[in-house]
Amino acid sequence: MTDRPTRIGVQLAPQHASMQTTIDAARRVEEMGADAVFGWDHFFPLSGEPDGWHFEATAQLAAWAQATERIQLGSLVFCNSYRNPDLLADVARTIDHIAGGRFVFGIGSGWFERDYEEYGYDFGSVGKRLNALADALPRIRERFAQLNPPPVGPMPILIGGKGEQKTLPLVAQHADIWHSFVGPDQLQHKLDVLRARCDDLGRDVGEIEISNGASVRDGVGGVGFERLDALHAIGTRLFTIPLSGDDTAEGYALERVQEFLDWRDAKNDGR
């Protein structure tokens, strides 16, 4: 795991901002030198005004794919349980072609109940949603193989979550990237579980990039990067900063990204 370069992603939450503002922000993140830009797959804001401006994930990602040239992009993460798996695979393949092979296929089981209730989907239980994800992932991979043309790829599959009974076995079986918000105090245990699941499958856990959510509080105002340093020491290599369209009066607080890029560069210089 630890031979990989350190990378910085930026999640531009598609809330409280115009579509053009999100496109301009994605371009700026690329110009700054970030490695990836992510959206999310919800239908309503998760913070701020609950009925504020918000945009759908797949169409927005297609716009970002057209507007950028180098940066990887994807959803952090698509919600499997209100997206038909075969259709979602086709949509992702299409965006990957728009992006010239830069798409990251991020997926999870879903959790925000309002999305389901207002759009007429069955929310069910955590277990039911995870079982649906387990059923969907082979269909998605099979559809990738059947599509003509196929993804430009190879398109990395990112799976979000931390559950040891269902999610981590899915990561071991299907994922190229595992994303969570697990802290340094728990990460080593989770990695041990993931390694055991990979061993069961005869897979090298080192094939999976370890990803974690950063915080705009890391590195800002003299707080430092102690938490990210600890995650990095355990094996995390992709760190994603969450930004929202209402961070400032002007929109996304993109100036916060530079400290993270400097931190990344220092880590990579020391490899």
Side-chain angles (χ1 to χ4, degrees):
M1 295 180 190
T2 55
D3 290 338
R4 296 175 179 272
T6 304
R7 304 200 300 146
I8 293 295
V10 179
Q11 185 179 46
L12 300 173
Q15 59 180 20
H16 310 305
S18 70
M19 178 58 70
Q20 190 60 52
T21 297
T22 76
I23 293 170
D24 292 344
R27 285 188 180 128
R28 180 59 184 141
V29 166
E30 178 175 67
E31 291 168 358
M32 294 177 74
D35 300 284
V37 59
F38 295 105
W40 69 26
D41 191 15
H42 296 286
F43 303 133
F44 302 94
L46 299 185
S47 63
E49 169 53 49
D51 293 313
W53 282 25
H54 197 279
F55 291 101
E56 190 276 331
T58 61
Q60 182 184 53
L61 287 167
W64 291 359
Q66 181 65 33
T68 57
E69 297 179 353
R70 176 196 59 80
I71 198 166
Q72 282 193 307
L73 68 150
S75 185
L76 198 62
V77 291
F78 285 131
C79 174
N80 169 72
S81 51
Y82 48 72
R83 301 263 183 201
N84 174 277
D86 292 88
L87 177 58
L88 182 59
D90 199 347
V91 170
R93 179 280 307 254
T94 301
I95 300 174
D96 191 49
H97 275 262
I98 297 170
R102 294 180 285 123
F103 197 71
V104 177
F105 185 85
I107 193 165
S109 60
W111 63 272
F112 188 43
E113 189 169 3
R114 185 184 180 191
D115 289 330
Y116 293 79
E117 290 181 346
E118 295 219 24
Y119 276 58
Y121 295 100
D122 178 26
F123 187 57
S125 66
V126 173
K128 181 178 178 181
R129 295 194 300 276
L130 283 167
N131 288 340
L133 178 60
D135 291 341
L137 282 163
R139 287 177 57 184
I140 289 166
R141 295 179 67 176
E142 183 177 355
R143 183 58 57 187
F144 284 156
Q146 293 174 346
L147 290 167
N148 185 19
V152 178
M155 186 191 303
I157 295 177
L158 178 154
I159 295 178
K162 63 178 183 178
E164 297 177 19
Q165 298 301 313
K166 294 188 176 183
T167 301
L168 291 183
L170 293 177
V171 171
Q173 186 173 3
H174 297 288
D176 303 289
I177 306 170
W178 169 48
H179 181 81
S180 77
F181 297 93
V182 173
D185 57 332
Q186 298 181 339
L187 182 58
Q188 186 59 63
H189 169 70
K190 297 292 184 181
L191 288 176
D192 290 342
V193 173
L194 179 59
R195 182 176 289 104
R197 300 291 77 78
C198 285
D199 289 345
D200 292 342
L201 297 169
R203 186 182 185 192
D204 181 2
V205 71
E207 296 175 3
I208 302 171
E209 183 176 26
I210 308 305
S211 171
N212 206 298
S215 167
V216 291
R217 294 185 295 275
D218 294 311
V220 174
V223 173
F225 285 90
E226 290 82 1
R227 188 180 70 88
L228 299 193
D229 285 336
L231 290 169
H232 188 275
I234 300 169
T236 306
R237 288 298 179 268
L238 174 58
F239 299 84
T240 297
I241 311 154
L243 298 179
S244 174
D246 59 347
D247 284 336
T248 71
E250 292 75 32
Y252 297 100
L254 298 178
E255 69 280 358
R256 299 179 184 176
V257 174
Q258 189 59 52
E259 289 186 77
F260 292 87
L261 298 179
D262 293 343
W263 176 83
R264 173 202 66 187
D265 293 345
K267 291 295 185 187
N268 288 333
D269 287 345
R271 290 175 64 202

